[in-house]
Amino acid sequence: MSAADTLPRPPHIQTGDVEADRLLAEAWDAIPDRPHDVLAISREAIARTEAMGLEAASALAQGYLGFGYHLLSRPDDALPLLTEALSRLEAAGDLHGRGYVLSALSTVYIGMGHVDEALDVALSSLQVLRAAGDRELEAWTLISIGNTYLDLADPDRAMDVAEQALAVFGSMTMPVGQARAHTVIGCALARDDRPEEARAHHEAALRLARETGSRLTEARALHDLGDAARGAGDLDTALDLFHQSLAIRRDLGSRAAQSTSLLHIGQVLGEKGDTEAALDTLREARQIAEDLGAGLRMEQVDRAFASVYERLGDAPEALRYLRRAQDLREAFLDAQARSRVHVIQVRAEAAQARQEAEIAHLRSVELAEANRELETALGNLRRTQSRLLQQEKLASLGRLASGVAHEIQNPLNFVAGFAEVNEEYARELRETVEARREEMPDDLATEVDEMLGELVQNIGRVRENAQRASGIVRSLLAHGQPASASQEVVDLRDLVGRVVNVTLAGSGIRPVWMPGEEPLRVEANPQSLDRALVNLVDNARRAVTDRLAEDDTFRPFVCLSLDRVDGQAVLRVMDNGPGVPEEIRDRIFEPFFSTRPTGEGTGLGLPLALQIVTDGHGGDLTLDETEAGAAFTIRLPLVEADDP
């Protein structure tokens, strides 16, 4: 599917300025069929909103401008604008606008062939939009995610998210959204070798696109029907449908999509035996791809060239194009094409070497697979080593705590107790001096009174620090206690909900809590797991409170989401505070490492949470990469209903 087809509807911004609202609406209405109008109107909207001091609306207009450049296949201009717009919307605390621009960024990444980045951004957008409660934007983002899963060769997941989107669009009576959902479902069915069902969905997409006047979606539906006809062996029908799609894409100025149509037309012409026309068409497709810097598309066109030259029996020319395709594949994807180049090279050198070339090809594939497995194993080994090292540190801390905590606690209790007694004695002595003040010279009475006041303050500081030291000892003892004792099956939703209510009570922060619709039962020690969750939520509270203290226009945001993923309960705790600097990300789970001022933190909260989750509950606690703020993820094994 074309990347532009995945763009969601705009957020419902009401600026209070009639002219600004009109310009934003007109810029949106020009997407995706009138990209030049998008640029012109967006610039007007930016000028108007900036003059009126409407920061969120100005950032959204900048997002429209960036997407307009994407529609004209100018990603180098689109990405900086969208990235800056996202930053501005995050600073303004606008969830709707942020979700929209994240979705737009995802479509740009898809158009560039950066599929992994597209999926990561789209999933981030989905979380933000769910937090904002915007079902329409959420449905459009599901379409974007479905397309990304198609590019990742995962048709089952693509169909699942597209069917979710189709249901939402159907309930909202949005035929243009239904058309795009049908397109994703049709492509997924085609990948799953169900051509008749796929064709039915493509025909539904074409009908809805024409009814709504969505020409870009119409072009995509025609293209998909052409693919279906080609798969059925009806090359004439396929060629006609591809040409119809190309005509619309040329009219709209969507050059990236034109290159796609020309590639498929060239392939069909080659299959029909019209090699000269095929080569001319592929040259045009290659030129557009070069102009756009679309390396993945150039690699696909070069492979099509090689196929045509092979049919002509021109092995050297076929080899030249495959070598060029290989270079592009290594730059943008991976080294899978190396074996094919080797096979063609062997064929060109000697026909008798065919069998050896095939063996070399198979060996190359096997080695590539073995390398991938080794890389995966190495990554797992490194993660395991890191985790074992961390666990050993925590275990050492636990042993240290068990060995010396009681010995330390007794003197601390002595210090705190006698500090309290001395504080009381000092107050009584001060009262005595005051009562017998007339018997003493005035200057002596004043000096003694001041000294006794300072003495009371100093004794109070001794008592407070002794109590803080006792708290550190209690934290140390917590590391030495087994977290897995007295476990029971609990619904994680209830446990997290209680922690959120208690930890954020009275903070002025309104949490976004998404517990999901189904119970998520885990085997846990409620008290210890409660302690780990409190540490994470309280960290988020402190982060946004610190940022609010520096900027009174900041809108604090703490979000918790709970999902079921592959037999695990996955809890994410997110905030929009200052985040965790890159240079200390590897140290935040180290005991006694703290970024807070002296006296405000012990550096034991996160290590304790990690120990409870991993050692005590067989789970996993990680700090995720985020564009702003911090996000921690807890994964715990689920207890299914029929488990003992």
Side-chain angles (χ1 to χ4, degrees):
M1 173 172 284
S2 169
D5 280 350
T6 66
L7 185 66
R9 299 290 299 176
H12 305 290
I13 284 185
Q14 295 291 328
T15 67
D17 181 79
V18 175
E19 179 64 11
D21 288 343
R22 180 188 67 80
L23 289 168
L24 287 171
E26 287 186 2
W28 168 253
D29 289 338
I31 297 173
D33 294 338
R34 294 180 287 122
H36 291 288
D37 289 345
V38 175
L39 299 186
I41 300 169
S42 296
R43 291 190 182 102
E44 287 187 57
I46 291 171
R48 177 69 183 183
T49 51
E50 287 184 352
M52 300 296 294
L54 304 170
E55 174 61 17
S58 173
L60 180 62
Q62 184 179 6
Y64 287 165
L65 180 64
F67 201 78
Y69 280 119
H70 162 69
L71 293 172
L72 291 172
S73 301
R74 294 169 58 180
D76 290 341
D77 293 318
L79 282 177
L81 288 166
L82 288 167
T83 303
E84 183 182 351
L86 179 62
S87 233
R88 294 173 64 190
L89 287 163
E90 287 174 347
D94 191 314
L95 283 180
H96 288 278
R98 182 184 173 197
Y100 168 82
V101 173
L102 280 168
S103 293
L105 268 172
S106 176
T107 64
V108 173
Y109 281 133
I110 292 174
M112 297 174 69
H114 299 171
V115 183
D116 291 336
E117 292 91 335
L119 181 59
D120 182 60
V121 171
L123 291 174
S124 297
S125 172
L126 189 63
Q127 289 180 340
V128 172
L129 294 171
R130 284 177 172 167
D134 193 322
R135 294 192 70 216
E136 183 179 341
L137 276 170
E138 179 184 338
W140 284 109
T141 304
L142 286 169
I143 294 293
S144 177
I145 293 171
N147 277 305
T148 310
Y149 278 135
L150 287 175
D151 288 336
L152 290 170
D154 193 343
D156 292 337
R157 287 190 177 179
M159 192 181 310
D160 178 57
V161 295
E163 286 175 345
Q164 293 178 43
L166 182 61
V168 175
F169 288 132
S171 67
M172 302 176 72
T173 319
M174 291 187 61
V176 66
Q178 291 173 282
R180 293 172 184 174
H182 277 299
T183 303
V184 179
I185 294 171
C187 291
L189 288 167
R191 300 277 181 88
D192 212 19
D193 198 22
R194 295 156 67 181
E196 294 303 321
E197 296 174 72
R199 185 181 296 106
H201 281 279
H202 291 320
E203 289 172 350
L206 180 61
R207 174 178 54 78
L208 290 167
R210 285 173 171 169
E211 288 176 0
T212 57
S214 178
R215 301 193 68 209
L216 204 60
T217 305
E218 178 185 358
R220 181 63 214 194
L222 288 166
H223 183 93
D224 290 334
L225 285 169
D227 271 338
R230 182 184 176 192
D234 189 352
L235 299 183
D236 291 331
T237 299
L239 197 59
D240 178 61
L241 290 165
F242 287 146
H243 275 296
Q244 290 183 52
S245 177
L246 176 62
I248 295 174
R249 288 168 169 177
R250 278 180 168 156
D251 189 39
L252 296 176
S254 179
R255 300 196 72 208
Q258 291 173 40
S259 179
T260 302
S261 293
L262 289 165
L263 168 62
H264 285 73
I265 290 171
Q267 289 172 329
V268 173
L269 287 170
E271 291 167 11
K272 286 171 61 67
D274 192 350
T275 53
E276 289 302 319
L279 292 173
D280 289 341
T281 305
L282 292 174
R283 289 187 190 102
E284 185 179 355
R286 186 62 157 75
Q287 186 60 56
I288 293 174
E290 285 182 13
D291 294 343
L292 300 178
L296 186 58
R297 177 69 70 237
M298 287 189 286
E299 183 261 340
Q300 292 169 338
V301 174
D302 284 347
R303 290 190 179 281
F305 269 122
S307 296
V308 174
Y309 279 114
E310 276 196 89
R311 288 190 181 92
L312 289 172
D314 190 343
E317 192 68 4
L319 179 62
R320 184 173 74 87
Y321 275 102
L322 276 175
R323 280 176 171 165
R324 195 160 71 169
Q326 174 67 10
D327 291 340
L328 290 165
R329 170 67 69 174
E330 290 177 354
F332 286 89
L333 297 175
D334 54 36
Q336 290 180 348
R338 187 176 293 113
S339 57
R340 258 192 95 182
V341 173
H342 181 68
V343 171
I344 296 298
Q345 185 176 9
V346 172
R347 284 178 179 174
E349 291 174 350
Q352 294 82 359
R354 181 182 302 274
Q355 185 176 3
E356 293 180 8
E358 290 175 353
I359 293 172
H361 168 72
L362 292 173
R363 184 175 300 153
S364 177
V365 171
E366 291 172 357
L367 288 173
E369 181 62 29
N371 284 337
R372 282 192 293 271
E373 291 177 357
L374 286 172
E375 288 174 1
T376 301
L378 181 59
N380 292 336
L381 178 60
R382 286 173 176 167
R383 285 189 292 271
T384 301
Q385 288 175 331
S386 176
R387 177 56 52 82
L388 288 173
L389 179 61
Q390 189 66 37
Q391 289 176 342
E392 179 58 30
K393 289 181 180 179
L394 293 174
S396 298
L397 180 60
R399 290 191 294 270
L400 172 65
S402 299
V404 303
H406 290 292
E407 296 299 326
I408 295 175
Q409 188 64 58
N410 288 333
L412 284 175
N413 290 339
F414 181 85
V415 171
F418 275 89
E420 188 173 351
V421 171
N422 289 338
E423 189 176 22
E424 184 62 29
Y425 283 164
R427 288 197 184 96
E428 291 176 0
L429 181 58
R430 195 174 184 185
E431 291 172 0
T432 300
V433 170
E434 185 63 29
R436 305 184 64 175
R437 190 180 189 90
E438 294 180 357
E439 302 175 16
M440 304 172 63
D442 289 341
D443 57 343
L444 177 60
T446 300
E447 184 178 355
V448 169
D449 186 63
E450 291 176 353
M451 292 175 65
L452 287 173
E454 292 177 1
L455 180 60
V456 169
Q457 292 179 359
N458 291 338
I459 293 173
R461 294 189 184 100
V462 171
R463 179 169 49 82
E464 289 172 3
N465 280 278
Q467 291 172 346
R468 180 172 178 267
S470 294
I472 294 174
V473 170
R474 286 193 296 272
S475 296
L476 285 170
L477 285 171
H479 281 279
Q481 296 171 355
S484 58
S486 303
Q487 292 197 345
E488 60 187 75
V489 176
V490 298
D491 187 345
L492 199 55
R493 299 181 305 171
D494 298 335
L495 189 62
V496 177
R498 183 172 64 253
V499 168
V500 171
N501 291 334
V502 172
T503 308
L504 298 182
S507 66
I509 300 168
R510 185 177 179 182
V512 177
W513 166 222
M514 296 178 289
E517 298 178 358
E518 299 180 0
L520 292 175
R521 297 183 178 87
V522 299
E523 190 171 356
N525 177 280
Q527 290 74 30
S528 64
L529 190 55
D530 184 286
R531 188 159 64 246
L533 296 175
V534 166
N535 283 333
L536 292 178
V537 177
D538 192 57
N539 275 358
R541 178 191 64 78
R542 291 189 181 207
V544 297
T545 301
D546 289 348
R547 186 171 174 185
L548 183 61
E550 298 174 357
D551 180 6
D552 57 7
T553 64
F554 168 68
R555 297 180 186 176
F557 168 75
V558 175
C559 176
L560 293 94
S561 66
L562 192 56
D563 296 295
R564 175 192 295 266
V565 179
D566 297 333
Q568 290 185 314
V570 178
L571 172 67
R572 294 199 81 204
V573 182
M574 298 166 281
D575 65 71
N576 62 341
V580 181
E582 182 66 30
E583 60 271 15
I584 67 170
R585 291 179 67 88
D586 293 336
R587 300 192 61 196
I588 61 168
F589 291 111
E590 290 183 8
F592 300 111
F593 178 79
S594 175
T595 59
R596 306 197 66 78
T598 302
E600 294 188 20
T602 64
L604 292 172
L606 286 176
L608 177 60
L610 178 65
Q611 184 187 41
I612 290 172
V613 171
T614 56
D615 293 351
H617 295 84
D620 189 34
L621 171 60
T622 57
L623 171 64
D624 300 335
E625 294 282 353
T626 57
E627 296 184 5
F632 288 88
T633 298
I634 290 178
R635 294 176 177 83
L636 294 172
L638 283 169
V639 176
E640 300 300 339
D642 56 352
D643 284 354

